[in-house]
């Protein structure tokens, strides 16, 4: 008998806090208890404001979100929220389109956004629309270069061709010619030399065993105990020898 009474007391002790909590929970009007856990949520069409549920007033061109937080409504696609709690239509100018957010607009290709309208891009002759995010909205065709608001023909000197470089001169000299100012001069290759593709220098290099001497290539006169270095155009002393007065002497 005493065991049964003890069991009843234990059950009462465990149930008392939950019972007290459920009694203490005050659910305001237009609300319902949460399915899980403690607390309550506002009914559909209402939103929480402190400890009460207030009706959601949906302005024109808006819809209910049925969320328990925030304003409880959002503007329809093509409208944006105004400062007075209303939904203002997004006015898309000619040459523009409504972006995916439904709250802003962008200009179509071929138009430029200027203030609240889209200005048509006027292409100069010999140009085409550019998709670059910076700089002018157009690019000159091959063979032309931008000068202020026009595309001027590039003057290519004799023995040169147009290149695709974005820097420096828009043309390159043909092989066998070297850039000298605004012209391409033929490279005069001396005996015992060959053409050099470098865009600087004389345009030629001496063959192995020869060294530059002014505008010609002279044979390298090597002293005893010497050999040509990696360039092939200079000499160096053999191992255990050092250079001294144009000779290779034993390194003591």
């Amino acid at each position: 008998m005493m065991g049964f009474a003890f069991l009843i007391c234990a059950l009462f002790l465990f149930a008392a806090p939950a019972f007290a909590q459920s009694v203490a929970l005050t659910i305001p009007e237009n609300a319902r208890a949460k399915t899980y856990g403690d607390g309550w949520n506002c009914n559909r069409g209402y939103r929480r404001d402190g400890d009460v549920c207030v009706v959601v007033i949906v302005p024109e061109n808006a819809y209910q979100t049925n969320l328990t937080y925030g304003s409880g409504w959002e503007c329809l696609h093509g409208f944006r929220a105004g400062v007075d709690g209303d939904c203002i239509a997004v006015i898309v100018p000619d040459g523009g389109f409504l972006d995916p957010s439904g709250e802003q607009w962008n200009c179509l290709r071929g138009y430029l956004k200027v203030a609240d309208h889209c200005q048509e891009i006027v292409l100069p002759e010999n140009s085409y629309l550019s998709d670059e995010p910076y700089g002018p909205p157009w690019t000159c065709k091959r063979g032309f270069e931008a000068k202020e608001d026009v595309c001027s023909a590039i003057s290519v000197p004799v023995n040169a061709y147009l290149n695709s470089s974005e820097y420096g001169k828009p043309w390159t000299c043909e092989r066998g010619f070297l850039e000298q100012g605004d012209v391409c001069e033929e490279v005069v290759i001396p005996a015992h030399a060959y053409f050099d593709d470098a865009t600087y220098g004389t345009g030629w290099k001496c063959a192995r065993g020869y060294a530059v001497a002014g505008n010609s290539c002279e044979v390298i006169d090597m002293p005893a105990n010497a050999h040509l270095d990696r360039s092939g155009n200079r000499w160096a002393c053999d191992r255990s020898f050092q250079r001294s007065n144009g000779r290779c002497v034993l390194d003591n």
Side-chain angles (χ1 to χ4, degrees), residues 98-212:
L98 193 66
D99 77 359
S101 73
E103 298 180 350
Q104 301 179 58
W105 56 268
N106 289 316
C107 292
L108 295 167
R109 190 171 189 272
Y111 291 83
L112 200 62
K113 193 170 186 177
V114 179
D116 58 353
H117 66 280
C118 291
Q119 179 178 303
E120 187 174 4
I121 297 170
V122 179
L123 294 176
E125 192 175 357
N126 299 308
S127 71
Y128 57 90
L129 283 173
S130 171
D131 293 320
E132 295 296 328
Y134 306 103
W138 48 266
T139 301
C140 292
K141 294 179 180 178
R142 178 175 169 81
F144 295 84
E145 59 184 347
K147 289 186 176 180
E148 296 182 354
D149 294 330
V150 298
C151 290
S152 301
I154 296 172
S155 178
V156 182
V158 179
N159 300 311
Y161 59 91
L162 287 170
N163 60 37
S164 301
S165 176
E166 296 180 358
Y167 307 97
K169 283 186 168 59
W171 49 265
T172 302
C173 291
E174 297 280 2
R175 179 177 171 82
F177 293 83
L178 197 64
E179 181 184 319
Q180 297 291 340
D182 291 328
V183 298
C184 292
E185 293 187 355
E186 186 175 5
V187 177
V188 179
I189 303 175
H192 310 296
Y194 59 92
F195 179 73
D196 180 18
D197 284 318
T199 56
Y200 53 88
T202 60
W204 52 268
K205 285 184 177 180
C206 290
R208 181 177 175 82
Y210 292 83
V212 175

Side-chain angles (χ1 to χ4, degrees), residues 6-16:
F6 177 80
L7 179 61
I8 294 298
C9 291
L11 290 173
F12 178 79
L13 289 174
F14 280 109

Side-chain angles (χ1 to χ4, degrees), residues 58-59 61-65 67 71-76 87 103:
V58 182
N61 300 310
Y63 62 93
Q64 280 190 8
T65 60
L67 299 175
S71 63
W73 57 268
E74 287 187 2
C75 293
L76 295 171
C87 289
E103 298 180 350

